[in-house]
Amino acid sequence: MEVISIDGFQINSKADFHRIIAQKLDFGPYYGHNADALWDMLSSGMAGGMVIVWDNAEHSKRGMGDDFDIIIGLFEQTKQRFSGKSDDYVFDYILNL
């Protein structure tokens, strides 16, 4: 299982999140930097075998508002999508407040 850590103190907006997640997951230059593009990447299977650890998530939530909840919703959908599959496709996330 690959662990991807992101620091919430570096994420104060939706743009910050998409910039950092695109770097961490090597989404490439054509990533759309929005929720639809994130779903496309996560649901394609590229997130299989991965856990995202979001440290200081409460700080990000304050800065991002509703966008934080949308992203967590996508993480949860991805987790459910790959639930019950082999360990190579399991996806999870941890929010460290």
Side-chain angles (χ1 to χ4, degrees):
M1 180 84 62
E2 182 179 4
V3 177
I4 305 296
S5 296
I6 56 177
D7 183 358
F9 286 133
Q10 297 177 341
I11 301 172
N12 298 301
S13 67
K14 174 174 61 171
D16 289 343
F17 170 80
H18 286 289
R19 178 180 44 78
I20 288 170
I21 203 73
Q23 290 170 350
K24 294 278 186 172
L25 300 181
D26 195 24
F27 284 168
Y30 300 107
Y31 175 63
H33 295 267
N34 60 55
D36 289 337
L38 179 61
W39 174 246
D40 289 345
M41 296 302 285
L42 295 177
S43 66
S44 72
M46 65 78 50
M50 176 184 305
V51 61
I52 295 177
V53 178
W54 194 332
D55 292 319
N56 307 303
E58 188 63 35
H59 178 84
S60 296
K61 182 177 175 113
R62 283 192 301 272
M64 295 174 67
D66 291 341
D67 292 318
F68 180 87
D69 295 327
I70 290 168
I71 288 165
I72 297 307
L74 293 176
F75 284 177
E76 188 61 32
Q77 285 179 310
T78 304
K79 181 178 178 176
Q80 296 304 315
R81 181 181 182 101
F82 295 110
S83 178
K85 309 264 188 207
S86 74
D87 287 344
D88 293 339
Y89 289 103
V90 170
F91 172 83
D92 204 358
Y93 64 97
I94 299 168
L95 302 178
N96 292 325
L97 305 177

